Amino acid sequence: MFPKLFFRGNHQALWLIRWQLVQSRSSSTSFIRSEADERPLAESPTTHSLFSRATIGSFFQEQPVLRNPFTQDALLQGYLRRHLPLQEVESDLCRFGDQIVGEIDALGRQCEQNPPQLQQFGAWGRRVDRIVTCPAWTRMKCIAAEEGLVAAGYERRYNEWSRVYQMCKLYLYSPSAGLFTCPLAMTDGAAKVIESLGVPVKEAFERLTSRDKNRFWTSGQWMTERKGGSDVATGTETVAWRQEDGWYRLYGFKWFTSATDADFTLTLARIADSNGNTTPGSQGLSLFCAEVWDLEGCSNGVEVQKLKDKLGTRQMPTAELLLDGMRAKLLSEEGRGVASIANMLTLTRIHNTVSAVAAMRRVTQLSREYSTKRWAFGKLLKDHALHVQTLSRLEVETRAAFLLMMEVCRLLGREESGVATERESHLLRLLTPVAKLYTGKQAVAVVSEGLESFGGQGYIEDTGLPAMLRDAQVLSIWEGTTNVLSLDVLRSIAKSSGLVLQAFFTHTEECLRGAGPALSPAVSSLRSALSVLTSFLQTHLQHPAAPKAELFARDLAYSLARIYMGVLLVDHASWDRASQTDIYAALRWCEGDLCPVVTGESRGCYGAEASELDSALVYQGLDDSP
């Protein structure tokens, strides 16, 4: 060691020695251990010095690299080769994948780091209510138009497969989009409503479905009020006053409005008569549309009260709005507002499913990539059998979710093209809420487990990984919570007099007939699950609206999802160009509990006694006194 006096008097020499010490360690030290598990130089007692605590070593973990999400997705490529084997589709998706890596992913990160801001007043005190977003958000809008992320669904270029093509692009785009997929979902929904109603708002429809970035509009969807949530029938208090020119002025408060910087919006309101009276319930709701901004950039009778401070989706402006005389056009027939948004809900729920599956796929791709770079306990993560087993389970979940997503997209495309059979229409009605509720929950679980595969880095904001989990959490809430959608599944059964279930059982049986010998264990498990589910439904679903039905609604929806996903995995693995991994994924999925509603029934979960015990368990200790 050097004498203390030397260090006190010669600072230049001190820093020279320190620099030489760091340089010598940098050239000889690595914290990536070999099979011999050599101790790093920084830990060796022979290298201790006065400055050892100030050095950080030379090892830095190599980060996972985002690669072209299309070329890295074997299942997506296999699905397209089977169903839409067009070179132009493959080329377009491959090109778009390169753009995602080269431009879009960085834009999405910028949106996360530069959230929207509210400017309520101008410099001279005038109220302006401007929502200021970053340039990356504006660029996302241009890309969405140019790539036809809405337009592709209406151009019908690939006939009944146009929706599959569109949703494949959104599936690739979503994890990098900085939540711009949300306004796109609402824009798509608005265009669908206008198209289905055939109302004379031609310019709005053309703008919502335009590929011209200078003409393209995004749409909002202002339905939720303070009382509301999913219960719009009793929660909507907004009032519409008819004007002499045939337009309306809307007055009310919207508590939660996503993508509030939209150009256009749909909203529900109650038309007031000459005495100011309105009709309660869903019969009193009508659907309106309005431009949000006028030609001078001033809001159309809209005051932005505040921007929401959210767990996730921070990239996108979500606000509380006061409608103070917003000029609007009646879009539906009077009192037919709820019925008029049914098509929109189908579409936005499918968009939600796409975003959920896309999040799963992105985290599995990054986790896989990272496992080839992270060295721990003497070898790479990819060489740790338990780690690979964990990733394989995530992969099976993602594959099942992907095939369910593609199925509802296929059915939607066939219905819009006018070629869907009655059975396919019933399947679409049943599977849309099932797919949305199940994949919404899956996304949270898969993304959470995926983040764990990165260790501590998965919890560090700088990596961008935590945003994936925050954003995934909303997917089980948007467009109807899990319980609300489970009840919607019961409603679809009741309203169709059971025809949606008949379509489900007929289609699943047809798919299983073509399975080969290698898939026999999976087919056996699925047929057993279908058999016990049939018996359960025959016993308990005579009256879908009965109180007991509500208790098993959620488990029933999960059962329908798990069985159908297993059937789709078997069907894909039965394709003549399927791989061994396709077969393996189907077998692994079908090893789980395919029918949790029957499992729940065997445990007595749905009886009156269980309901009373559930209530006692939940509310024990709650003080009801004022």
PDB file of all heavy atoms in Angstrom, residues 4-27:
ATOM      1  N   LYS A   4       0.052   7.083   3.379  1.00  0.00           N
ATOM      2  CA  LYS A   4      -1.052   8.026   3.419  1.00  0.00           C
ATOM      3  C   LYS A   4      -0.609   9.419   3.014  1.00  0.00           C
ATOM      4  O   LYS A   4      -1.356  10.163   2.383  1.00  0.00           O
ATOM      5  CB  LYS A   4      -1.658   8.057   4.812  1.00  0.00           C
ATOM      6  CG  LYS A   4      -2.356   6.774   5.210  1.00  0.00           C
ATOM      7  CD  LYS A   4      -2.962   6.899   6.586  1.00  0.00           C
ATOM      8  CE  LYS A   4      -3.664   5.613   6.982  1.00  0.00           C
ATOM      9  NZ  LYS A   4      -4.256   5.718   8.340  1.00  0.00           N
ATOM     10  N   LEU A   5       0.638   9.779   3.364  1.00  0.00           N
ATOM     11  CA  LEU A   5       1.120  11.114   3.056  1.00  0.00           C
ATOM     12  C   LEU A   5       1.141  11.356   1.559  1.00  0.00           C
ATOM     13  O   LEU A   5       0.842  12.438   1.070  1.00  0.00           O
ATOM     14  CB  LEU A   5       2.515  11.306   3.654  1.00  0.00           C
ATOM     15  CG  LEU A   5       3.150  12.702   3.482  1.00  0.00           C
ATOM     16  CD1 LEU A   5       2.262  13.740   4.173  1.00  0.00           C
ATOM     17  CD2 LEU A   5       4.568  12.723   4.063  1.00  0.00           C
ATOM     18  N   PHE A   6       1.479  10.318   0.797  1.00  0.00           N
ATOM     19  CA  PHE A   6       1.522  10.439  -0.668  1.00  0.00           C
ATOM     20  C   PHE A   6       0.161  10.831  -1.221  1.00  0.00           C
ATOM     21  O   PHE A   6       0.034  11.702  -2.079  1.00  0.00           O
ATOM     22  CB  PHE A   6       1.999   9.119  -1.254  1.00  0.00           C
ATOM     23  CG  PHE A   6       2.003   9.112  -2.771  1.00  0.00           C
ATOM     24  CD1 PHE A   6       3.094   9.594  -3.478  1.00  0.00           C
ATOM     25  CD2 PHE A   6       0.905   8.636  -3.476  1.00  0.00           C
ATOM     26  CE1 PHE A   6       3.098   9.593  -4.858  1.00  0.00           C
ATOM     27  CE2 PHE A   6       0.915   8.618  -4.864  1.00  0.00           C
ATOM     28  CZ  PHE A   6       2.007   9.097  -5.561  1.00  0.00           C
ATOM     29  N   PHE A   7      -0.886  10.215  -0.730  1.00  0.00           N
ATOM     30  CA  PHE A   7      -2.220  10.491  -1.242  1.00  0.00           C
ATOM     31  C   PHE A   7      -2.705  11.878  -0.843  1.00  0.00           C
ATOM     32  O   PHE A   7      -3.438  12.509  -1.575  1.00  0.00           O
ATOM     33  CB  PHE A   7      -3.205   9.436  -0.730  1.00  0.00           C
ATOM     34  CG  PHE A   7      -3.004   8.114  -1.427  1.00  0.00           C
ATOM     35  CD1 PHE A   7      -2.412   7.062  -0.758  1.00  0.00           C
ATOM     36  CD2 PHE A   7      -3.387   7.939  -2.745  1.00  0.00           C
ATOM     37  CE1 PHE A   7      -2.215   5.849  -1.391  1.00  0.00           C
ATOM     38  CE2 PHE A   7      -3.199   6.728  -3.374  1.00  0.00           C
ATOM     39  CZ  PHE A   7      -2.607   5.678  -2.707  1.00  0.00           C
ATOM     40  N   ARG A   8      -2.250  12.318   0.330  1.00  0.00           N
ATOM     41  CA  ARG A   8      -2.695  13.622   0.768  1.00  0.00           C
ATOM     42  C   ARG A   8      -2.065  14.736  -0.061  1.00  0.00           C
ATOM     43  O   ARG A   8      -2.663  15.789  -0.261  1.00  0.00           O
ATOM     44  CB  ARG A   8      -2.349  13.831   2.244  1.00  0.00           C
ATOM     45  CG  ARG A   8      -3.189  12.985   3.185  1.00  0.00           C
ATOM     46  CD  ARG A   8      -2.716  13.127   4.598  1.00  0.00           C
ATOM     47  NE  ARG A   8      -3.505  12.311   5.506  1.00  0.00           N
ATOM     48  CZ  ARG A   8      -3.179  12.080   6.771  1.00  0.00           C
ATOM     49  NH1 ARG A   8      -2.059  12.603   7.276  1.00  0.00           N
ATOM     50  NH2 ARG A   8      -3.943  11.326   7.533  1.00  0.00           N
ATOM     51  N   GLY A   9      -0.881  14.510  -0.571  1.00  0.00           N
ATOM     52  CA  GLY A   9      -0.163  15.610  -1.207  1.00  0.00           C
ATOM     53  C   GLY A   9      -0.126  15.567  -2.712  1.00  0.00           C
ATOM     54  O   GLY A   9       0.248  16.548  -3.336  1.00  0.00           O
ATOM     55  N   ASN A  10      -0.497  14.438  -3.346  1.00  0.00           N
ATOM     56  CA  ASN A  10      -0.326  14.352  -4.788  1.00  0.00           C
ATOM     57  C   ASN A  10      -1.598  13.813  -5.423  1.00  0.00           C
ATOM     58  O   ASN A  10      -1.715  12.627  -5.708  1.00  0.00           O
ATOM     59  CB  ASN A  10       0.866  13.440  -5.108  1.00  0.00           C
ATOM     60  CG  ASN A  10       1.301  13.580  -6.569  1.00  0.00           C
ATOM     61  OD1 ASN A  10       0.495  13.928  -7.413  1.00  0.00           O
ATOM     62  ND2 ASN A  10       2.574  13.296  -6.819  1.00  0.00           N
ATOM     63  N   HIS A  11      -2.557  14.665  -5.620  1.00  0.00           N
ATOM     64  CA  HIS A  11      -3.850  14.230  -6.161  1.00  0.00           C
ATOM     65  C   HIS A  11      -3.725  13.758  -7.604  1.00  0.00           C
ATOM     66  O   HIS A  11      -4.451  12.872  -8.044  1.00  0.00           O
ATOM     67  CB  HIS A  11      -4.847  15.392  -6.081  1.00  0.00           C
ATOM     68  CG  HIS A  11      -5.182  15.759  -4.683  1.00  0.00           C
ATOM     69  ND1 HIS A  11      -5.919  14.962  -3.853  1.00  0.00           N
ATOM     70  CD2 HIS A  11      -4.844  16.866  -3.936  1.00  0.00           C
ATOM     71  CE1 HIS A  11      -6.060  15.528  -2.672  1.00  0.00           C
ATOM     72  NE2 HIS A  11      -5.404  16.686  -2.698  1.00  0.00           N
ATOM     73  N   GLN A  12      -2.813  14.347  -8.369  1.00  0.00           N
ATOM     74  CA  GLN A  12      -2.650  13.933  -9.766  1.00  0.00           C
ATOM     75  C   GLN A  12      -2.170  12.485  -9.830  1.00  0.00           C
ATOM     76  O   GLN A  12      -2.660  11.685 -10.612  1.00  0.00           O
ATOM     77  CB  GLN A  12      -1.657  14.868 -10.456  1.00  0.00           C
ATOM     78  CG  GLN A  12      -1.520  14.574 -11.960  1.00  0.00           C
ATOM     79  CD  GLN A  12      -0.631  15.586 -12.644  1.00  0.00           C
ATOM     80  OE1 GLN A  12      -0.067  16.460 -11.999  1.00  0.00           O
ATOM     81  NE2 GLN A  12      -0.510  15.475 -13.947  1.00  0.00           N
ATOM     82  N   ALA A  13      -1.204  12.164  -8.985  1.00  0.00           N
ATOM     83  CA  ALA A  13      -0.713  10.789  -8.953  1.00  0.00           C
ATOM     84  C   ALA A  13      -1.795   9.828  -8.487  1.00  0.00           C
ATOM     85  O   ALA A  13      -1.905   8.693  -8.960  1.00  0.00           O
ATOM     86  CB  ALA A  13       0.505  10.696  -8.025  1.00  0.00           C
ATOM     87  N   LEU A  14      -2.603  10.310  -7.547  1.00  0.00           N
ATOM     88  CA  LEU A  14      -3.710   9.493  -7.036  1.00  0.00           C
ATOM     89  C   LEU A  14      -4.640   9.073  -8.158  1.00  0.00           C
ATOM     90  O   LEU A  14      -4.985   7.896  -8.306  1.00  0.00           O
ATOM     91  CB  LEU A  14      -4.464  10.300  -5.979  1.00  0.00           C
ATOM     92  CG  LEU A  14      -5.839   9.781  -5.558  1.00  0.00           C
ATOM     93  CD1 LEU A  14      -5.682   8.477  -4.816  1.00  0.00           C
ATOM     94  CD2 LEU A  14      -6.515  10.814  -4.658  1.00  0.00           C
ATOM     95  N   TRP A  15      -5.077  10.032  -8.976  1.00  0.00           N
ATOM     96  CA  TRP A  15      -6.024   9.710 -10.057  1.00  0.00           C
ATOM     97  C   TRP A  15      -5.375   8.883 -11.156  1.00  0.00           C
ATOM     98  O   TRP A  15      -6.032   8.075 -11.788  1.00  0.00           O
ATOM     99  CB  TRP A  15      -6.592  10.991 -10.632  1.00  0.00           C
ATOM    100  CG  TRP A  15      -7.578  11.607  -9.701  1.00  0.00           C
ATOM    101  CD1 TRP A  15      -7.436  12.717  -8.953  1.00  0.00           C
ATOM    102  CD2 TRP A  15      -8.862  11.074  -9.387  1.00  0.00           C
ATOM    103  NE1 TRP A  15      -8.543  12.935  -8.174  1.00  0.00           N
ATOM    104  CE2 TRP A  15      -9.446  11.939  -8.423  1.00  0.00           C
ATOM    105  CE3 TRP A  15      -9.591   9.959  -9.805  1.00  0.00           C
ATOM    106  CZ2 TRP A  15     -10.711  11.727  -7.884  1.00  0.00           C
ATOM    107  CZ3 TRP A  15     -10.837   9.744  -9.272  1.00  0.00           C
ATOM    108  CH2 TRP A  15     -11.397  10.610  -8.324  1.00  0.00           C
ATOM    109  N   LEU A  16      -4.054   9.052 -11.366  1.00  0.00           N
ATOM    110  CA  LEU A  16      -3.344   8.237 -12.348  1.00  0.00           C
ATOM    111  C   LEU A  16      -3.333   6.768 -11.921  1.00  0.00           C
ATOM    112  O   LEU A  16      -3.618   5.867 -12.713  1.00  0.00           O
ATOM    113  CB  LEU A  16      -1.914   8.759 -12.524  1.00  0.00           C
ATOM    114  CG  LEU A  16      -1.017   7.931 -13.465  1.00  0.00           C
ATOM    115  CD1 LEU A  16      -1.594   7.942 -14.869  1.00  0.00           C
ATOM    116  CD2 LEU A  16       0.416   8.486 -13.468  1.00  0.00           C
ATOM    117  N   ILE A  17      -3.028   6.549 -10.647  1.00  0.00           N
ATOM    118  CA  ILE A  17      -3.006   5.174 -10.142  1.00  0.00           C
ATOM    119  C   ILE A  17      -4.399   4.557 -10.209  1.00  0.00           C
ATOM    120  O   ILE A  17      -4.575   3.402 -10.590  1.00  0.00           O
ATOM    121  CB  ILE A  17      -2.476   5.163  -8.699  1.00  0.00           C
ATOM    122  CG1 ILE A  17      -1.000   5.579  -8.689  1.00  0.00           C
ATOM    123  CG2 ILE A  17      -2.651   3.796  -8.060  1.00  0.00           C
ATOM    124  CD1 ILE A  17      -0.453   5.842  -7.311  1.00  0.00           C
ATOM    125  N   ARG A  18      -5.404   5.362  -9.843  1.00  0.00           N
ATOM    126  CA  ARG A  18      -6.778   4.852  -9.883  1.00  0.00           C
ATOM    127  C   ARG A  18      -7.176   4.479 -11.310  1.00  0.00           C
ATOM    128  O   ARG A  18      -7.773   3.429 -11.548  1.00  0.00           O
ATOM    129  CB  ARG A  18      -7.732   5.917  -9.334  1.00  0.00           C
ATOM    130  CG  ARG A  18      -9.177   5.471  -9.350  1.00  0.00           C
ATOM    131  CD  ARG A  18     -10.073   6.540  -8.794  1.00  0.00           C
ATOM    132  NE  ARG A  18     -11.453   6.089  -8.806  1.00  0.00           N
ATOM    133  CZ  ARG A  18     -12.479   6.832  -8.402  1.00  0.00           C
ATOM    134  NH1 ARG A  18     -12.280   8.049  -7.967  1.00  0.00           N
ATOM    135  NH2 ARG A  18     -13.693   6.350  -8.430  1.00  0.00           N
ATOM    136  N   TRP A  19      -6.813   5.316 -12.259  1.00  0.00           N
ATOM    137  CA  TRP A  19      -7.147   5.032 -13.669  1.00  0.00           C
ATOM    138  C   TRP A  19      -6.464   3.757 -14.140  1.00  0.00           C
ATOM    139  O   TRP A  19      -7.055   2.921 -14.816  1.00  0.00           O
ATOM    140  CB  TRP A  19      -6.719   6.227 -14.514  1.00  0.00           C
ATOM    141  CG  TRP A  19      -7.000   6.036 -15.984  1.00  0.00           C
ATOM    142  CD1 TRP A  19      -8.164   6.243 -16.641  1.00  0.00           C
ATOM    143  CD2 TRP A  19      -6.067   5.585 -16.963  1.00  0.00           C
ATOM    144  NE1 TRP A  19      -8.044   5.956 -17.978  1.00  0.00           N
ATOM    145  CE2 TRP A  19      -6.763   5.540 -18.208  1.00  0.00           C
ATOM    146  CE3 TRP A  19      -4.714   5.217 -16.930  1.00  0.00           C
ATOM    147  CZ2 TRP A  19      -6.147   5.151 -19.400  1.00  0.00           C
ATOM    148  CZ3 TRP A  19      -4.110   4.826 -18.106  1.00  0.00           C
ATOM    149  CH2 TRP A  19      -4.820   4.785 -19.319  1.00  0.00           C
ATOM    150  N   GLN A  20      -5.173   3.594 -13.777  1.00  0.00           N
ATOM    151  CA  GLN A  20      -4.442   2.393 -14.179  1.00  0.00           C
ATOM    152  C   GLN A  20      -5.058   1.137 -13.574  1.00  0.00           C
ATOM    153  O   GLN A  20      -5.149   0.093 -14.214  1.00  0.00           O
ATOM    154  CB  GLN A  20      -2.979   2.531 -13.755  1.00  0.00           C
ATOM    155  CG  GLN A  20      -2.206   3.589 -14.555  1.00  0.00           C
ATOM    156  CD  GLN A  20      -0.807   3.783 -14.022  1.00  0.00           C
ATOM    157  OE1 GLN A  20      -0.529   3.520 -12.836  1.00  0.00           O
ATOM    158  NE2 GLN A  20       0.102   4.241 -14.893  1.00  0.00           N
ATOM    159  N   LEU A  21      -5.503   1.257 -12.320  1.00  0.00           N
ATOM    160  CA  LEU A  21      -6.126   0.115 -11.647  1.00  0.00           C
ATOM    161  C   LEU A  21      -7.409  -0.307 -12.349  1.00  0.00           C
ATOM    162  O   LEU A  21      -7.637  -1.487 -12.618  1.00  0.00           O
ATOM    163  CB  LEU A  21      -6.407   0.474 -10.192  1.00  0.00           C
ATOM    164  CG  LEU A  21      -7.084  -0.610  -9.334  1.00  0.00           C
ATOM    165  CD1 LEU A  21      -6.194  -1.843  -9.246  1.00  0.00           C
ATOM    166  CD2 LEU A  21      -7.390  -0.062  -7.949  1.00  0.00           C
ATOM    167  N   VAL A  22      -8.264   0.672 -12.688  1.00  0.00           N
ATOM    168  CA  VAL A  22      -9.520   0.376 -13.379  1.00  0.00           C
ATOM    169  C   VAL A  22      -9.260  -0.212 -14.745  1.00  0.00           C
ATOM    170  O   VAL A  22      -9.903  -1.169 -15.170  1.00  0.00           O
ATOM    171  CB  VAL A  22     -10.389   1.651 -13.479  1.00  0.00           C
ATOM    172  CG1 VAL A  22     -11.585   1.414 -14.380  1.00  0.00           C
ATOM    173  CG2 VAL A  22     -10.835   2.100 -12.107  1.00  0.00           C
ATOM    174  N   GLN A  23      -8.249   0.341 -15.459  1.00  0.00           N
ATOM    175  CA  GLN A  23      -7.928  -0.168 -16.783  1.00  0.00           C
ATOM    176  C   GLN A  23      -7.464  -1.611 -16.731  1.00  0.00           C
ATOM    177  O   GLN A  23      -7.835  -2.438 -17.555  1.00  0.00           O
ATOM    178  CB  GLN A  23      -6.843   0.700 -17.434  1.00  0.00           C
ATOM    179  CG  GLN A  23      -7.327   2.073 -17.877  1.00  0.00           C
ATOM    180  CD  GLN A  23      -8.410   1.977 -18.926  1.00  0.00           C
ATOM    181  OE1 GLN A  23      -9.576   2.213 -18.622  1.00  0.00           O
ATOM    182  NE2 GLN A  23      -8.066   1.595 -20.116  1.00  0.00           N
ATOM    183  N   SER A  24      -6.621  -1.935 -15.741  1.00  0.00           N
ATOM    184  CA  SER A  24      -6.127  -3.308 -15.642  1.00  0.00           C
ATOM    185  C   SER A  24      -7.263  -4.271 -15.361  1.00  0.00           C
ATOM    186  O   SER A  24      -7.299  -5.393 -15.868  1.00  0.00           O
ATOM    187  CB  SER A  24      -5.064  -3.397 -14.541  1.00  0.00           C
ATOM    188  OG  SER A  24      -5.657  -3.169 -13.270  1.00  0.00           O
ATOM    189  N   ARG A  25      -8.225  -3.861 -14.552  1.00  0.00           N
ATOM    190  CA  ARG A  25      -9.363  -4.727 -14.260  1.00  0.00           C
ATOM    191  C   ARG A  25     -10.272  -4.856 -15.463  1.00  0.00           C
ATOM    192  O   ARG A  25     -10.840  -5.909 -15.731  1.00  0.00           O
ATOM    193  CB  ARG A  25     -10.136  -4.184 -13.072  1.00  0.00           C
ATOM    194  CG  ARG A  25      -9.377  -4.333 -11.776  1.00  0.00           C
ATOM    195  CD  ARG A  25     -10.150  -3.789 -10.608  1.00  0.00           C
ATOM    196  NE  ARG A  25      -9.407  -3.995  -9.383  1.00  0.00           N
ATOM    197  CZ  ARG A  25      -9.805  -3.561  -8.208  1.00  0.00           C
ATOM    198  NH1 ARG A  25     -10.937  -2.900  -8.098  1.00  0.00           N
ATOM    199  NH2 ARG A  25      -9.078  -3.780  -7.135  1.00  0.00           N
ATOM    200  N   SER A  26     -10.438  -3.772 -16.210  1.00  0.00           N
ATOM    201  CA  SER A  26     -11.326  -3.809 -17.369  1.00  0.00           C
ATOM    202  C   SER A  26     -10.836  -4.791 -18.404  1.00  0.00           C
ATOM    203  O   SER A  26     -11.610  -5.412 -19.109  1.00  0.00           O
ATOM    204  CB  SER A  26     -11.433  -2.412 -18.001  1.00  0.00           C
ATOM    205  OG  SER A  26     -11.991  -1.506 -17.090  1.00  0.00           O
ATOM    206  N   SER A  27      -9.509  -4.942 -18.518  1.00  0.00           N
ATOM    207  CA  SER A  27      -8.970  -5.814 -19.559  1.00  0.00           C
ATOM    208  C   SER A  27      -8.944  -7.276 -19.156  1.00  0.00           C
ATOM    209  O   SER A  27      -8.768  -8.146 -19.980  1.00  0.00           O
ATOM    210  CB  SER A  27      -7.540  -5.368 -19.908  1.00  0.00           C
ATOM    211  OG  SER A  27      -6.714  -5.483 -18.763  1.00  0.00           O
TER     212      SER A  27
END
